[in-house]
């Protein structure tokens, strides 16, 4: 049996595990502090460094859920889902189709179009936000979710296209050739042969897009004006702004805890595909 290097001693493994545990606790400490902070009073929050509250405030979640106006956080969470779910779905589908074209077919100006697509990946958000705003304003799409969903339909997220291209290139072309001999056309090859093999990359793209869109504050602030269409990130900011006098920070923290739960659940549910997808696309690149 081949052995690569000397196995670490028990003491070495123990020290390594303790260091990893300490590093892990250090990384998640802000989340732990946020959770316990949602049960503290303002005096306790700003007057003590202790992690645990001196006096537990149990109604921060119920009061925070009511919001500050006529809309509760139930409306804001529903709005966020109405924005995020179609955006994620269309991003994955459109990016996979475009990546399939670049990875498997030869067509005129393929190199130039690929370079153009990659160049858009380098553009900072501050450069494209004004043209995007003018275009969507002229189309009458402001104060709605179309500025998020329509770009997803037309594969306007080059990062995911590039990631899926790397994965498609790692799949053997013999699969396509044998499928053609069995009578499959390009569409059938994509949806019945290649996409099932691309589940790790597709889940990785979906998780990335879900987390980024769910947490997006800047674009939501630019394109959404009506309070009834606010997402959770805008609602949290509105709660701070609309509170006259003393801000109930435990209520804001409690809603922040609820706001981070969906991305955390999505990540842990599909963690296996996520890690496999990132590792595979990186190796095959």
């Amino acid at each position: 049996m081949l052995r690569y290097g000397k196995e670490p001693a028990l003491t070495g493994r123990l020290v390594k595990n303790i260091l990893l545990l300490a590093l892990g606790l250090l990384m998640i400490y802000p989340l732990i502090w946020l959770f316990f902070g949602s049960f503290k009073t303002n005096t306790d929050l700003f007057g003590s460094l202790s992690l645990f509250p001196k006096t537990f405030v149990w109604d921060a979640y119920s009061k925070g859920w009511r919001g500050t106006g006529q809309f509760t956080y139930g409306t804001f969470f529903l709005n966020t889902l109405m924005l995020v779910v179609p955006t994620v779905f269309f991003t994955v589908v459109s990016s996979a189709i475009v990546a399939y074209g670049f990875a498997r077919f030869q067509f005129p100006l393929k190199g130039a179009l690929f370079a153009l697509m990659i160049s858009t990946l380098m553009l900072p958000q501050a450069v494209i936000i004004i043209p995007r705003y003018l275009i969507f304003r002229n189309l009458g799409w402001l104060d709605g979710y179309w500025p998020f969903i329509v770009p997803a339909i037309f594969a306007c997220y080059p990062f995911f296209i590039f990631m899926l291209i790397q994965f498609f290139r790692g799949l053997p072309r013999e699969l396509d050739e044998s499928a053609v001999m069995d009578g499959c056309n390009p569409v059938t090859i994509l949806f019945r042969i290649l996409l099932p093999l691309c589940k790790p990359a597709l889940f990785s793209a979906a998780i990335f897009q879900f987390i980024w869109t769910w947490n997006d504050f800047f674009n939501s602030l630019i394109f959404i004006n009506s309070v009834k269409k606010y997402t959770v990130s805008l609602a949290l900011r509105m709660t701070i702004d609309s509170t006259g006098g003393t801000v109930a920070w435990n209520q804001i923290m409690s809603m922040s805890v609820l706001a981070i739960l969906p991305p955390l659940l999505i990540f842990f549910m599909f963690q296996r595909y996520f890690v496999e997808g990132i590792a595979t696309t990186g190796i095959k690149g």
Side-chain angles (χ1 to χ4, degrees), residues 262-283:
L264 281 179
L265 291 175
I266 292 290
F267 175 78
F268 284 114
M269 285 172 61
F270 302 104
Q271 183 184 16
R272 180 170 63 88
Y273 294 108
F274 180 74
V275 174
E276 185 180 351
I278 295 299
T280 309
T281 51
I283 292 172

PDB file of all heavy atoms in Angstrom, residues 262-283:
ATOM      1  N   PRO A 262     -32.414  31.918   5.125  1.00  0.00           N
ATOM      2  CA  PRO A 262     -32.579  31.245   3.821  1.00  0.00           C
ATOM      3  C   PRO A 262     -31.275  30.975   3.090  1.00  0.00           C
ATOM      4  O   PRO A 262     -31.057  29.843   2.618  1.00  0.00           O
ATOM      5  CB  PRO A 262     -33.493  32.211   3.046  1.00  0.00           C
ATOM      6  CG  PRO A 262     -34.264  32.922   4.096  1.00  0.00           C
ATOM      7  CD  PRO A 262     -33.308  33.093   5.231  1.00  0.00           C
ATOM      8  N   PRO A 263     -30.350  31.957   2.953  1.00  0.00           N
ATOM      9  CA  PRO A 263     -29.069  31.619   2.290  1.00  0.00           C
ATOM     10  C   PRO A 263     -28.293  30.536   3.021  1.00  0.00           C
ATOM     11  O   PRO A 263     -27.685  29.669   2.383  1.00  0.00           O
ATOM     12  CB  PRO A 263     -28.306  32.952   2.315  1.00  0.00           C
ATOM     13  CG  PRO A 263     -29.342  34.003   2.406  1.00  0.00           C
ATOM     14  CD  PRO A 263     -30.427  33.401   3.245  1.00  0.00           C
ATOM     15  N   LEU A 264     -28.327  30.551   4.371  1.00  0.00           N
ATOM     16  CA  LEU A 264     -27.620  29.513   5.117  1.00  0.00           C
ATOM     17  C   LEU A 264     -28.236  28.131   4.874  1.00  0.00           C
ATOM     18  O   LEU A 264     -27.520  27.147   4.664  1.00  0.00           O
ATOM     19  CB  LEU A 264     -27.661  29.832   6.622  1.00  0.00           C
ATOM     20  CG  LEU A 264     -26.679  30.888   7.131  1.00  0.00           C
ATOM     21  CD1 LEU A 264     -26.866  31.108   8.632  1.00  0.00           C
ATOM     22  CD2 LEU A 264     -25.241  30.470   6.855  1.00  0.00           C
ATOM     23  N   LEU A 265     -29.563  28.064   4.879  1.00  0.00           N
ATOM     24  CA  LEU A 265     -30.224  26.779   4.643  1.00  0.00           C
ATOM     25  C   LEU A 265     -29.935  26.267   3.240  1.00  0.00           C
ATOM     26  O   LEU A 265     -29.663  25.076   3.047  1.00  0.00           O
ATOM     27  CB  LEU A 265     -31.738  26.932   4.862  1.00  0.00           C
ATOM     28  CG  LEU A 265     -32.187  27.170   6.310  1.00  0.00           C
ATOM     29  CD1 LEU A 265     -33.694  27.414   6.358  1.00  0.00           C
ATOM     30  CD2 LEU A 265     -31.809  25.977   7.179  1.00  0.00           C
ATOM     31  N   ILE A 266     -30.010  27.170   2.248  1.00  0.00           N
ATOM     32  CA  ILE A 266     -29.727  26.762   0.867  1.00  0.00           C
ATOM     33  C   ILE A 266     -28.303  26.230   0.758  1.00  0.00           C
ATOM     34  O   ILE A 266     -28.039  25.207   0.113  1.00  0.00           O
ATOM     35  CB  ILE A 266     -29.926  27.967  -0.092  1.00  0.00           C
ATOM     36  CG1 ILE A 266     -31.420  28.338  -0.162  1.00  0.00           C
ATOM     37  CG2 ILE A 266     -29.385  27.638  -1.479  1.00  0.00           C
ATOM     38  CD1 ILE A 266     -32.271  27.325  -0.869  1.00  0.00           C
ATOM     39  N   PHE A 267     -27.363  26.931   1.389  1.00  0.00           N
ATOM     40  CA  PHE A 267     -25.965  26.503   1.300  1.00  0.00           C
ATOM     41  C   PHE A 267     -25.756  25.125   1.928  1.00  0.00           C
ATOM     42  O   PHE A 267     -25.134  24.244   1.331  1.00  0.00           O
ATOM     43  CB  PHE A 267     -25.070  27.539   1.981  1.00  0.00           C
ATOM     44  CG  PHE A 267     -23.620  27.127   2.043  1.00  0.00           C
ATOM     45  CD1 PHE A 267     -22.814  27.245   0.920  1.00  0.00           C
ATOM     46  CD2 PHE A 267     -23.070  26.610   3.206  1.00  0.00           C
ATOM     47  CE1 PHE A 267     -21.480  26.858   0.961  1.00  0.00           C
ATOM     48  CE2 PHE A 267     -21.744  26.217   3.256  1.00  0.00           C
ATOM     49  CZ  PHE A 267     -20.942  26.347   2.128  1.00  0.00           C
ATOM     50  N   PHE A 268     -26.288  24.917   3.130  1.00  0.00           N
ATOM     51  CA  PHE A 268     -26.047  23.643   3.805  1.00  0.00           C
ATOM     52  C   PHE A 268     -26.823  22.497   3.148  1.00  0.00           C
ATOM     53  O   PHE A 268     -26.369  21.351   3.167  1.00  0.00           O
ATOM     54  CB  PHE A 268     -26.413  23.752   5.281  1.00  0.00           C
ATOM     55  CG  PHE A 268     -25.391  24.512   6.083  1.00  0.00           C
ATOM     56  CD1 PHE A 268     -25.702  25.725   6.659  1.00  0.00           C
ATOM     57  CD2 PHE A 268     -24.104  24.024   6.223  1.00  0.00           C
ATOM     58  CE1 PHE A 268     -24.760  26.431   7.383  1.00  0.00           C
ATOM     59  CE2 PHE A 268     -23.149  24.724   6.940  1.00  0.00           C
ATOM     60  CZ  PHE A 268     -23.469  25.936   7.525  1.00  0.00           C
ATOM     61  N   MET A 269     -27.974  22.797   2.548  1.00  0.00           N
ATOM     62  CA  MET A 269     -28.736  21.739   1.874  1.00  0.00           C
ATOM     63  C   MET A 269     -27.994  21.216   0.648  1.00  0.00           C
ATOM     64  O   MET A 269     -28.033  20.024   0.338  1.00  0.00           O
ATOM     65  CB  MET A 269     -30.118  22.267   1.478  1.00  0.00           C
ATOM     66  CG  MET A 269     -31.099  22.403   2.637  1.00  0.00           C
ATOM     67  SD  MET A 269     -32.625  23.235   2.136  1.00  0.00           S
ATOM     68  CE  MET A 269     -33.230  22.101   0.898  1.00  0.00           C
ATOM     69  N   PHE A 270     -27.328  22.131  -0.073  1.00  0.00           N
ATOM     70  CA  PHE A 270     -26.662  21.733  -1.321  1.00  0.00           C
ATOM     71  C   PHE A 270     -25.151  21.889  -1.218  1.00  0.00           C
ATOM     72  O   PHE A 270     -24.476  22.109  -2.220  1.00  0.00           O
ATOM     73  CB  PHE A 270     -27.207  22.564  -2.479  1.00  0.00           C
ATOM     74  CG  PHE A 270     -28.694  22.442  -2.654  1.00  0.00           C
ATOM     75  CD1 PHE A 270     -29.544  23.454  -2.251  1.00  0.00           C
ATOM     76  CD2 PHE A 270     -29.242  21.290  -3.200  1.00  0.00           C
ATOM     77  CE1 PHE A 270     -30.924  23.337  -2.394  1.00  0.00           C
ATOM     78  CE2 PHE A 270     -30.610  21.166  -3.350  1.00  0.00           C
ATOM     79  CZ  PHE A 270     -31.453  22.177  -2.941  1.00  0.00           C
ATOM     80  N   GLN A 271     -24.613  21.785  -0.011  1.00  0.00           N
ATOM     81  CA  GLN A 271     -23.184  21.991   0.195  1.00  0.00           C
ATOM     82  C   GLN A 271     -22.351  20.983  -0.590  1.00  0.00           C
ATOM     83  O   GLN A 271     -21.309  21.322  -1.149  1.00  0.00           O
ATOM     84  CB  GLN A 271     -22.869  21.895   1.684  1.00  0.00           C
ATOM     85  CG  GLN A 271     -21.411  22.157   2.027  1.00  0.00           C
ATOM     86  CD  GLN A 271     -21.128  21.953   3.504  1.00  0.00           C
ATOM     87  OE1 GLN A 271     -21.926  21.338   4.203  1.00  0.00           O
ATOM     88  NE2 GLN A 271     -20.015  22.463   3.971  1.00  0.00           N
ATOM     89  N   ARG A 272     -22.820  19.752  -0.673  1.00  0.00           N
ATOM     90  CA  ARG A 272     -22.055  18.713  -1.367  1.00  0.00           C
ATOM     91  C   ARG A 272     -21.873  19.061  -2.834  1.00  0.00           C
ATOM     92  O   ARG A 272     -20.776  18.972  -3.381  1.00  0.00           O
ATOM     93  CB  ARG A 272     -22.782  17.375  -1.223  1.00  0.00           C
ATOM     94  CG  ARG A 272     -22.090  16.215  -1.906  1.00  0.00           C
ATOM     95  CD  ARG A 272     -22.752  14.906  -1.501  1.00  0.00           C
ATOM     96  NE  ARG A 272     -24.141  14.842  -1.924  1.00  0.00           N
ATOM     97  CZ  ARG A 272     -24.525  14.377  -3.123  1.00  0.00           C
ATOM     98  NH1 ARG A 272     -23.629  13.931  -3.978  1.00  0.00           N
ATOM     99  NH2 ARG A 272     -25.802  14.332  -3.453  1.00  0.00           N
ATOM    100  N   TYR A 273     -22.970  19.487  -3.489  1.00  0.00           N
ATOM    101  CA  TYR A 273     -22.870  19.874  -4.895  1.00  0.00           C
ATOM    102  C   TYR A 273     -22.017  21.126  -5.049  1.00  0.00           C
ATOM    103  O   TYR A 273     -21.276  21.284  -6.012  1.00  0.00           O
ATOM    104  CB  TYR A 273     -24.264  20.130  -5.468  1.00  0.00           C
ATOM    105  CG  TYR A 273     -25.124  18.900  -5.546  1.00  0.00           C
ATOM    106  CD1 TYR A 273     -26.204  18.721  -4.690  1.00  0.00           C
ATOM    107  CD2 TYR A 273     -24.871  17.909  -6.484  1.00  0.00           C
ATOM    108  CE1 TYR A 273     -26.995  17.593  -4.763  1.00  0.00           C
ATOM    109  CE2 TYR A 273     -25.658  16.780  -6.568  1.00  0.00           C
ATOM    110  CZ  TYR A 273     -26.722  16.624  -5.701  1.00  0.00           C
ATOM    111  OH  TYR A 273     -27.501  15.502  -5.788  1.00  0.00           O
ATOM    112  N   PHE A 274     -22.141  22.039  -4.093  1.00  0.00           N
ATOM    113  CA  PHE A 274     -21.419  23.307  -4.181  1.00  0.00           C
ATOM    114  C   PHE A 274     -19.906  23.078  -4.151  1.00  0.00           C
ATOM    115  O   PHE A 274     -19.171  23.573  -5.001  1.00  0.00           O
ATOM    116  CB  PHE A 274     -21.838  24.211  -3.019  1.00  0.00           C
ATOM    117  CG  PHE A 274     -21.158  25.549  -3.010  1.00  0.00           C
ATOM    118  CD1 PHE A 274     -21.511  26.524  -3.923  1.00  0.00           C
ATOM    119  CD2 PHE A 274     -20.163  25.826  -2.094  1.00  0.00           C
ATOM    120  CE1 PHE A 274     -20.884  27.756  -3.919  1.00  0.00           C
ATOM    121  CE2 PHE A 274     -19.534  27.053  -2.076  1.00  0.00           C
ATOM    122  CZ  PHE A 274     -19.894  28.024  -2.992  1.00  0.00           C
ATOM    123  N   VAL A 275     -19.442  22.303  -3.186  1.00  0.00           N
ATOM    124  CA  VAL A 275     -18.004  22.033  -3.061  1.00  0.00           C
ATOM    125  C   VAL A 275     -17.503  21.268  -4.278  1.00  0.00           C
ATOM    126  O   VAL A 275     -16.447  21.580  -4.850  1.00  0.00           O
ATOM    127  CB  VAL A 275     -17.732  21.253  -1.766  1.00  0.00           C
ATOM    128  CG1 VAL A 275     -16.272  20.834  -1.686  1.00  0.00           C
ATOM    129  CG2 VAL A 275     -18.105  22.081  -0.553  1.00  0.00           C
ATOM    130  N   GLU A 276     -18.274  20.264  -4.720  1.00  0.00           N
ATOM    131  CA  GLU A 276     -17.862  19.474  -5.871  1.00  0.00           C
ATOM    132  C   GLU A 276     -17.808  20.329  -7.132  1.00  0.00           C
ATOM    133  O   GLU A 276     -16.894  20.209  -7.951  1.00  0.00           O
ATOM    134  CB  GLU A 276     -18.841  18.314  -6.073  1.00  0.00           C
ATOM    135  CG  GLU A 276     -18.449  17.357  -7.183  1.00  0.00           C
ATOM    136  CD  GLU A 276     -19.465  16.226  -7.322  1.00  0.00           C
ATOM    137  OE1 GLU A 276     -20.354  16.107  -6.444  1.00  0.00           O
ATOM    138  OE2 GLU A 276     -19.375  15.485  -8.301  1.00  0.00           O
ATOM    139  N   GLY A 277     -18.783  21.220  -7.285  1.00  0.00           N
ATOM    140  CA  GLY A 277     -18.823  22.076  -8.473  1.00  0.00           C
ATOM    141  C   GLY A 277     -17.664  23.040  -8.517  1.00  0.00           C
ATOM    142  O   GLY A 277     -17.024  23.218  -9.563  1.00  0.00           O
ATOM    143  N   ILE A 278     -17.345  23.665  -7.391  1.00  0.00           N
ATOM    144  CA  ILE A 278     -16.227  24.607  -7.355  1.00  0.00           C
ATOM    145  C   ILE A 278     -14.914  23.884  -7.614  1.00  0.00           C
ATOM    146  O   ILE A 278     -14.068  24.348  -8.383  1.00  0.00           O
ATOM    147  CB  ILE A 278     -16.173  25.320  -5.992  1.00  0.00           C
ATOM    148  CG1 ILE A 278     -17.413  26.198  -5.804  1.00  0.00           C
ATOM    149  CG2 ILE A 278     -14.916  26.168  -5.882  1.00  0.00           C
ATOM    150  CD1 ILE A 278     -17.554  27.276  -6.832  1.00  0.00           C
ATOM    151  N   ALA A 279     -14.739  22.712  -6.987  1.00  0.00           N
ATOM    152  CA  ALA A 279     -13.496  21.967  -7.164  1.00  0.00           C
ATOM    153  C   ALA A 279     -13.323  21.504  -8.608  1.00  0.00           C
ATOM    154  O   ALA A 279     -12.251  21.624  -9.192  1.00  0.00           O
ATOM    155  CB  ALA A 279     -13.472  20.775  -6.221  1.00  0.00           C
ATOM    156  N   THR A 280     -14.406  21.013  -9.209  1.00  0.00           N
ATOM    157  CA  THR A 280     -14.312  20.479 -10.561  1.00  0.00           C
ATOM    158  C   THR A 280     -14.053  21.566 -11.581  1.00  0.00           C
ATOM    159  O   THR A 280     -13.216  21.423 -12.466  1.00  0.00           O
ATOM    160  CB  THR A 280     -15.601  19.722 -10.924  1.00  0.00           C
ATOM    161  OG1 THR A 280     -15.884  18.785  -9.892  1.00  0.00           O
ATOM    162  CG2 THR A 280     -15.435  19.004 -12.235  1.00  0.00           C
ATOM    163  N   THR A 281     -14.781  22.671 -11.496  1.00  0.00           N
ATOM    164  CA  THR A 281     -14.575  23.739 -12.473  1.00  0.00           C
ATOM    165  C   THR A 281     -13.187  24.335 -12.338  1.00  0.00           C
ATOM    166  O   THR A 281     -12.577  24.748 -13.323  1.00  0.00           O
ATOM    167  CB  THR A 281     -15.616  24.855 -12.288  1.00  0.00           C
ATOM    168  OG1 THR A 281     -15.640  25.245 -10.920  1.00  0.00           O
ATOM    169  CG2 THR A 281     -16.981  24.387 -12.719  1.00  0.00           C
ATOM    170  N   GLY A 282     -12.645  24.370 -11.131  1.00  0.00           N
ATOM    171  CA  GLY A 282     -11.308  24.907 -10.968  1.00  0.00           C
ATOM    172  C   GLY A 282     -10.253  23.978 -11.540  1.00  0.00           C
ATOM    173  O   GLY A 282      -9.314  24.411 -12.194  1.00  0.00           O
ATOM    174  N   ILE A 283     -10.437  22.664 -11.337  1.00  0.00           N
ATOM    175  CA  ILE A 283      -9.432  21.715 -11.815  1.00  0.00           C
ATOM    176  C   ILE A 283      -9.445  21.620 -13.328  1.00  0.00           C
ATOM    177  O   ILE A 283      -8.404  21.619 -13.975  1.00  0.00           O
ATOM    178  CB  ILE A 283      -9.707  20.323 -11.198  1.00  0.00           C
ATOM    179  CG1 ILE A 283      -9.436  20.382  -9.696  1.00  0.00           C
ATOM    180  CG2 ILE A 283      -8.835  19.268 -11.837  1.00  0.00           C
ATOM    181  CD1 ILE A 283      -9.855  19.133  -8.962  1.00  0.00           C
TER     182      ILE A 283
END
